[in-house]
Amino acid sequence: LSVRVFDLSDAVLEGNRDKAFKILRALLDEKQSALGILSLLSKNWISTYEARMILDEGGGMGDIQRSLGVAPFIAKKLHAGCRKWNLEMLRNKINMCIEMDEGIKSGTIKDVHALELLIC
């Protein structure tokens, strides 16, 4: 699941909505929990934000790997992905994850619709 959600995050970071929707649909067809997907998406956005902060402070891929405690291939993905987004945009995605989580849990938004909004 986490690998597929990483693919979903990559598609969103690349701005490839068609691919993102295709991956999301596949995950939901596999009966993956919408809240589980949201949780992993949130974690990925937070890691991307942290990676961007490291880059903005002059760090590199090795610093991302050490600071976040991730495998080299994940550090490489974060390094590439976070370059396309600034801190404000990433903060907005994280805040949107929080809002969607609250909306799902309070019943004000359907879980699948919340995920669709996040990947737009």
Side-chain angles (χ1 to χ4, degrees), residues 1-2 5 8-9 33-47 97-98 100-101 104-105 115 118:
L1 173 62
S2 62
V5 171
L8 177 59
S9 291
S33 158
L35 280 175
I37 295 169
L38 176 60
S39 174
L40 288 172
L41 273 176
S42 298
K43 184 180 183 300
N44 285 343
W45 284 113
I46 291 167
S47 294
C97 287
I98 293 167
M100 293 302 147
D101 183 60
I104 292 168
K105 290 176 180 173
L115 288 171
L118 273 175

